[in-house]
């Protein structure tokens, strides 16, 4: 197969995943929340089980007027939603779906690349907050920056633990080195990574930057129409990315109960949707953390625990 054809197929596959998986997660969130909270509305659109709810939401956003505040920095204001989306697209390029290079772009330093790119999300938050010329947006942006910069540390330390255990920064290499007993040995790192990941994508109960009871809607207050929809899409893509990274790093990726590499992609997708369900479940089940509780959890619990996990991983590696 010519190189350019292979390149087009890989990039096309990533774009299809980027455009479809977040929508599936969004549809699942509508239905899961409808069942868990007894919401009738999302179960009616389109007839059977409310299958058209997400379509109705899309039509609603398209019809809304696109408003830019008079005092806003227009260029930065309009660019922020795209900046929120692009990092997740780049991350999906290097996440392996299955064995035998079933990945958009295999990298030997894939984990380093992923952690570096995910951190760009704070730039979009600050851009939208500052450019909106709104005090509630600015407060939400400052909260978001403090949260993202704080939780970046336990996220990186937890990922470093599994990379140290596998002896590689390659995401495919980590999956190949993974063993079932890592579910116990690396369980603390997995929990830390998952919780810090939720904070990174600002999902409940870590949604203080968009606390609607205090800040209207935080850094997204002034956004309407498709630009607001892009921020919501970025949130759903973030769910897919965090679920995929948790799957690849801690749950064995494409490894399943049967020694059949042909179904590796299916095991990866099943694990991604299972972790996504847990993320949705947490939104329904837990109230929003206060700012002091959020920072205390980061600096007094997750950071010390991630450092202890690193020491444990180093000790096991030396012993083995």
């Amino acid at each position: 197969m010519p190189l350019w054809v292979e390149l087009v197929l890989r990039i096309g596959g990533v774009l299809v995943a980027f455009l479809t998986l977040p929508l599936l997660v969004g549809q699942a969130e509508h239905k899961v929340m409808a069942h868990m909270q007894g919401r009738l509305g999302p179960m009616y659109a389109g007839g059977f089980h409310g299958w058209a709810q997400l379509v109705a939401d899309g039509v609603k956003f398209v019809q809304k007027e696109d408003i830019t505040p008079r005092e806003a920095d227009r260029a930065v204001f309009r660019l922020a939603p795209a900046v929120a989306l692009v990092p997740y697209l780049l991350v999906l390029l290097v996440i392996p779906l299955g064995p035998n290079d079933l990945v958009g772009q295999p990298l030997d330093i894939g984990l380093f690349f992923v952690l570096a790119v995910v951190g760009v999300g704070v730039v979009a938050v600050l851009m939208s907050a500052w450019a909106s010329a709104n005090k509630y947006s600015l407060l939400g942006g400052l909260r978001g920056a403090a949260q993202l910069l704080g939780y970046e540390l336990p996220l990186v330390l937890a990922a470093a633990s599994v990379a140290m255990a596998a002896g590689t920064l390659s995401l495919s290499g980590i999956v190949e080195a993974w063993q079932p007993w890592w579910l116990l040995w690396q369980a603390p790192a997995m929990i830390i990574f998952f919780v810090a990941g939720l904070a990174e994508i600002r999902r409940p109960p870590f949604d203080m930057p968009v606390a609607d009871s205090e800040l209207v809607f935080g850094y997204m207050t002034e956004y309407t129409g498709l630009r607001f929809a892009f921020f919501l899409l970025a949130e759903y893509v973030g769910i897919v990315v965090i679920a995929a990274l948790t799957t690849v790093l801690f749950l064995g990726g494409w490894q399943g109960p049967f020694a059949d590499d042909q179904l590796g992609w299916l095991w990866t997708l099943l694990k991604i949707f299972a972790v996504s369900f847990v993320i949705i479940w947490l939104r329904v089940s837990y109230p929003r953390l206060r700012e002091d509780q959020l920072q205390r959890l980061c600096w007094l619990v997750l950071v010390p625990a991630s450092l202890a996990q690193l020491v444990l991983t180093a000790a096991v590696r030396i012993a083995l």
Side-chain angles (χ1 to χ4, degrees):
M1 181 184 298
L3 180 60
W4 69 270
V5 175
E6 181 180 356
L7 183 63
V8 169
L9 289 176
R10 288 178 182 270
I11 295 177
V14 172
L15 284 175
V16 169
F18 179 75
L19 295 174
T20 57
L21 291 181
L23 297 181
L24 293 175
V25 170
Q27 181 75 353
E29 182 170 64
H30 279 93
K31 304 311 166 190
V32 170
M33 292 181 66
H35 282 293
M36 287 186 172
Q37 297 182 332
R39 296 185 177 187
L40 298 180
M43 307 303 288
Y44 277 88
F48 176 73
H49 212 67
W51 66 269
Q53 180 62 50
L54 205 63
V55 178
D57 286 342
V59 173
K60 175 187 69 175
F61 284 125
V62 170
Q63 291 178 335
K64 286 186 174 181
E65 184 179 1
D66 183 14
I67 299 174
T68 301
R70 182 183 306 159
E71 301 299 325
D73 186 327
R74 293 177 177 269
V76 178
F77 182 85
R78 293 172 178 173
L79 186 61
V83 176
L85 274 172
V86 170
Y88 294 129
L89 174 59
L90 296 178
V91 169
L92 289 177
L93 280 171
V94 300
I95 295 180
L97 186 61
N100 304 318
D101 280 343
L102 189 57
V103 58
Q105 178 58 55
L107 288 179
D108 291 337
I109 56 170
L111 181 59
F112 178 82
F113 175 83
V114 164
L115 295 176
V117 172
V118 167
V120 176
V122 67
V123 177
V125 173
L126 291 175
M127 287 173 63
S128 59
W130 178 258
S132 294
N134 180 297
K135 62 182 179 182
Y136 296 110
S137 297
L138 183 58
L139 286 172
L142 293 176
R143 283 184 179 183
Q147 177 173 316
L148 295 178
L149 292 175
Y151 279 86
E152 191 78 16
L153 182 56
L155 184 81
V156 171
L157 292 176
S161 174
V162 73
M164 183 187 300
T168 178
L169 289 174
S170 167
L171 295 177
S172 297
I174 291 174
V175 176
E176 291 169 356
W178 184 87
Q179 298 295 329
W181 69 280
W182 284 21
L183 290 173
L184 295 177
W185 174 37
Q186 294 296 322
M190 179 177 66
I191 295 172
I192 294 167
F193 184 89
F194 179 74
V195 172
L198 287 182
E200 285 287 309
I201 59 176
R202 301 167 296 283
R203 286 284 298 183
F206 301 97
D207 57 340
M208 281 300 292
V210 292
D212 51 328
S213 60
E214 304 171 21
L215 303 178
V216 187
F217 214 62
Y219 61 91
M220 293 187 285
T221 297
E222 298 291 353
Y223 283 89
T224 59
L226 283 178
R227 289 194 175 89
F228 181 76
F230 286 156
F231 271 117
L232 294 185
L233 179 60
E235 179 179 331
Y236 287 130
V237 182
I239 293 175
V240 173
V241 167
I242 293 301
L245 288 175
T246 303
T247 296
V248 168
L249 296 177
F250 300 99
L251 299 178
W254 62 76
Q255 297 193 41
F258 309 108
D260 186 359
D261 288 346
Q262 300 301 320
L263 294 177
W265 61 272
L266 179 60
W267 291 118
T268 302
L269 289 178
L270 287 175
K271 293 175 184 178
I272 289 173
F273 282 113
V275 177
S276 298
F277 172 79
V278 174
I279 294 175
I280 297 170
W281 179 26
L282 290 174
R283 174 180 180 177
V284 178
S285 304
Y286 286 91
R288 179 183 300 126
L289 294 176
R290 295 197 315 265
E291 187 66 25
D292 61 317
Q293 294 172 332
L294 188 146
Q295 294 296 341
R296 189 180 298 114
L297 174 64
C298 174
W299 295 106
L300 299 183
V301 178
L302 296 186
V303 171
S306 58
L307 290 172
Q309 178 64 31
L310 271 180
V311 174
L312 173 62
T313 302
V316 173
R317 285 286 295 175
I318 292 173
L320 296 178

